[in-house]
């Protein structure tokens, strides 16, 4: 697996030429690759892998000479856009923007208003990382992130790339060890009926629910049911 990953990484170490048509898959709350580097004049194809999605550029996060593309929400087939103006293009999925389904395409070299502030609805690799790698698959563990917000899960269930503190090395191992400690602590809490940690707030519970939905652990129907229960609980508590 490591060998195959190395080969794939090597194959994506250069930007896509204008003669090729790179494909961005739109699946269950993810774009893959989430970061793509192409040359000016390249046509990118956004293809439905599962569900109904859109590839919609933020109008205020494209280069001054660039075009804010919008596929509209589609459930099959594909949408193509040709990127002529150099710079950084940030885009999102209309139905799933709230759960962090966002992406970034760097044409030529980074530039434009997308470089001035973090992407507002999720997390993408920073532009230099995208240029360096050529393409960054969703779920990749690479350094550099355009936001400090928590990310979504990729098609294989792996975590989204971390922020400036993420990357290779011991961080995933430490995270796994901390996760095990948390599991043990939770089991002790339920076994003894005691604990110093206050109950999870409604806001925290909603964030957890959104993350589980983004990771594909629960479907759309279950997500809506649980969100309604949380919102109903808030209304009852305020009376």
């Amino acid at each position: 697996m490591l060998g195959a990953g190395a080969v794939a990484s090597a194959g994506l170490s250069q930007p896509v030429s204008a003669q090729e048509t790179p494909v961005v898959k739109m699946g269950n709350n993810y774009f893959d690759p989430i970061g793509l580097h192409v040359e000016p004049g390249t046509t990118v194809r956004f293809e439905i892998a599962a569900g109904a999605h859109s590839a919609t550029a933020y109008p205020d996060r494209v280069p001054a000479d660039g075009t804010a593309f919008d596929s509209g929400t589609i459930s099959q087939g594909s949408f193509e856009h040709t990127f002529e103006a150099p710079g950084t293009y940030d885009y999102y999925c209309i139905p799933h923007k709230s759960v962090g389904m966002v992406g970034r395409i760097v044409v030529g070299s980074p530039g434009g208003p997308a470089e001035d502030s973090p992407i507002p609805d999720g997390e993408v690799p920073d532009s230099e990382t995208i240029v360096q790698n050529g393409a960054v698959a969703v779920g990749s563990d690479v350094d550099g992130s355009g936001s400090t917000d928590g990310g979504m899960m990729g098609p294989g269930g792996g975590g989204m790339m971390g922020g400036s503190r993420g990357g290779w090395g011991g961080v995933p191992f430490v995270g796994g060890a901390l996760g095990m400690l948390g599991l043990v602590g939770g089991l002790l809490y339920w076994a003894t009926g005691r604990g110093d940690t206050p109950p999870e707030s409604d806001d925290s519970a909603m964030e957890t629910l959104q993350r589980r939905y983004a990771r594909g652990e629960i479907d759309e129907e279950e997500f809506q049911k649980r969100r309604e229960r949380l919102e109903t609980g808030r209304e009852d508590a305020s009376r």
Side-chain angles (χ1 to χ4, degrees):
M1 290 179 64
L2 288 175
V7 172
S9 176
L12 293 174
S13 61
Q14 299 296 326
V16 178
S17 68
Q19 286 71 38
E20 299 174 350
T21 302
V23 174
V24 175
K25 295 289 187 179
M26 300 188 289
N28 289 326
N29 307 330
Y30 67 84
F31 293 106
D32 189 31
I34 191 169
L36 179 66
H37 182 212
V38 300
E39 295 295 347
T42 300
T43 297
V44 177
R45 180 181 302 127
F46 300 86
E47 288 187 354
I48 291 292
H53 308 283
S54 80
T56 305
Y58 293 91
D60 57 349
R61 299 185 68 83
V62 300
D65 297 332
T67 303
F69 55 91
D70 182 10
S71 68
T73 302
I74 58 176
S75 58
Q76 60 183 354
S78 62
F79 164 76
E80 293 186 353
H81 179 76
T82 301
F83 293 84
E84 301 287 356
T88 304
Y89 296 73
D90 284 347
Y91 63 99
Y92 63 94
C93 169
I94 293 174
H96 304 107
K97 178 172 68 171
S98 63
V99 293
M101 186 171 173
V102 295
R104 170 169 288 185
I105 294 176
V106 178
V107 180
S109 58
E115 299 295 333
D116 297 335
S117 61
I119 193 168
D121 298 299
E123 185 175 354
V124 294
D126 65 46
S127 297
E128 293 299 334
T129 300
I130 295 172
V131 171
Q132 180 180 357
N133 289 275
V136 178
V138 65
S140 297
D141 188 10
V142 297
D143 279 328
S145 170
S147 170
T148 57
D149 295 334
M152 64 184 180
M153 303 299 284
M160 173 80 173
M161 66 288 298
S164 59
R165 293 171 293 177
W168 307 102
V171 174
F173 173 78
V174 173
L178 291 176
M180 289 299 297
L181 288 175
L183 177 61
V184 172
L187 291 174
L188 289 175
Y189 174 85
W190 288 109
T192 62
R194 299 173 60 187
D196 297 329
T197 303
E200 186 178 48
S201 66
D202 288 343
D203 290 339
S204 178
M206 183 65 74
E207 292 174 0
T208 300
L209 177 61
Q210 289 178 341
R211 284 196 296 269
R212 293 191 61 194
Y213 174 60
R215 291 195 295 263
E217 295 179 4
I218 57 176
D219 58 22
E220 179 80 22
E221 182 179 359
E222 183 66 18
F223 171 73
Q224 295 297 340
K225 288 181 180 179
R226 296 189 183 187
R227 186 177 66 175
E228 290 175 3
R229 287 200 295 267
L230 283 173
E231 291 175 347
T232 301
R234 289 177 181 173
E235 293 175 359
D236 293 342
S238 64
R239 293 175 181 172

